Amino acid sequence: MGNFTAYLKTRSFRNNLLGAIGTVVGLLLIAFFSLRFYTKHGEGLNVPEVKGLTVAQAVSKLEELGLRYELDSVYMMDKPPGIVTDQDPDANTFVKANRTIYLTINTSQAPNVKFPDIEAKSLREAQAILESYRLKLGDTTYKPDVARDVVLGALFGGQPIKAGEILPTGSRVSLILGDGRGNEDIELPNLNGLTIDEARFSLKGLMLSLGTITYEGAITDTANAVIVSQYPAVADTLTKVKIGTPINIILSNKPKQ
């Protein structure tokens, strides 16, 4: 023990100790600077803004900076085709050279989607379903029904459409809804003496429909022909009808005396 203690006090031990410490420090410095050189610490660039550019412009800009890219696509009706709609990482993000930038491109052709089953759904439910299928709500019209704001049918391009039929993504779908007044009775109007346009206007305001149109005698001026008879007709025994009831009319150029 005494000899070991004496050795620790010798110059030779101190030199060996200092040499070992220097070696360790040297190895650590070599590893540190080698790692900085290997990873190019502090070297990089800011990602450029390419959203809104065409694909060709965006690719050219990235390649000039030594950045790689990958493309994905999406369809958006309100944006022109062939432009970058999104990028990842975002503009001005600091990245290493050769980093991959992910670009989303707006395609020119809308993908198709199956029309969902929205019949008997409420207007709010139907709108949420349409949006989840990337379809848009168009016009809404009402027809007599006991249920209020419940989907009775759907139209695309003015034609009825059923669940499962194929539509382009982003299509606008119009809905026919119940008015909640299907069981109500209203006063039956007297259409005699009105033209067909005046009758249509009157019936629409009362939520009645125009039924069969027939003509009496030679009709030389359809626009000015007037109604000389209707069915059902206003009578002491019939003054009210259900909403949506069709009214049949007879037109003549000679008003009934």
Side-chain angles (χ1 to χ4, degrees):
M1 184 66 181
N3 291 336
F4 179 70
T5 303
Y7 172 70
L8 293 179
K9 296 178 181 181
T10 63
R11 185 172 185 175
S12 174
F13 172 74
R14 289 196 298 272
N15 290 338
N16 290 335
L17 180 61
L18 291 174
I21 293 173
T23 300
V24 172
V25 172
L27 291 173
L28 290 175
L29 289 175
I30 291 172
F32 176 73
F33 286 107
S34 296
L35 184 62
R36 285 172 62 91
F37 176 77
Y38 178 76
T39 59
K40 297 182 179 180
H41 181 72
E43 295 184 19
L45 68 159
N46 288 326
V47 176
E49 175 70 75
V50 296
K51 289 173 63 174
L53 301 181
T54 65
V55 180
Q57 292 171 332
V59 168
S60 175
K61 202 168 186 178
L62 294 177
E63 288 181 342
E64 286 178 2
L65 297 174
L67 295 170
R68 295 180 295 171
Y69 59 90
E70 288 189 14
L71 304 179
D72 195 4
S73 62
V74 69
Y75 177 76
M76 303 174 70
M77 289 186 65
D78 56 348
K79 294 186 180 297
I83 68 165
V84 178
T85 61
D86 198 13
Q87 67 180 82
D88 183 27
D90 293 330
N92 298 319
T93 302
F94 187 79
V95 298
K96 302 291 185 184
N98 209 35
R99 169 72 182 270
T100 298
I101 309 300
Y102 299 92
L103 305 179
T104 302
I105 312 299
N106 190 33
T107 63
S108 58
Q109 185 174 3
N112 291 328
V113 62
K114 286 187 177 181
F115 185 64
D117 184 6
I118 58 173
E119 192 167 342
K121 297 287 193 301
S122 70
L123 175 59
R124 181 173 295 182
E125 289 177 307
Q127 186 171 5
I129 293 172
L130 290 175
E131 289 176 354
S132 70
Y133 277 74
R134 301 183 67 184
L135 297 171
K136 295 183 178 181
L137 176 63
D139 296 331
T140 56
T141 56
Y142 287 86
K143 65 181 295 186
D145 192 83
V146 293
R148 173 72 180 178
D149 285 334
V150 169
V151 178
L152 305 179
L155 303 173
F156 174 65
Q159 300 299 317
I161 184 170
K162 299 295 184 182
E165 294 187 40
I166 303 299
L167 292 179
T169 297
S171 295
R172 194 173 294 276
V173 178
S174 299
L175 300 182
I176 302 171
L177 307 172
D179 61 10
R181 299 169 58 191
N183 288 333
E184 289 188 14
D185 292 337
I186 59 172
E187 294 289 337
L188 177 63
N190 185 353
L191 304 178
N192 289 329
L194 301 182
T195 65
I196 189 170
D197 288 336
E198 291 170 338
R200 283 197 179 101
F201 182 80
S202 177
L203 293 173
K204 185 176 181 180
L206 294 171
M207 301 187 70
L208 298 173
S209 62
L210 188 61
T212 303
I213 303 172
T214 56
Y215 297 92
E216 182 180 87
I219 303 298
T220 57
D221 187 356
T222 305
N224 290 316
V226 296
I227 298 171
V228 294
S229 182
Q230 71 179 65
Y231 180 81
V234 179
D236 293 339
T237 57
L238 180 63
T239 59
K240 291 188 176 183
V241 292
K242 299 290 186 184
I243 288 178
T245 299
I247 308 299
N248 302 325
I249 61 173
I250 298 176
L251 288 171
S252 175
N253 276 140
K254 295 180 179 180
K256 192 174 182 179
Q257 300 299 321

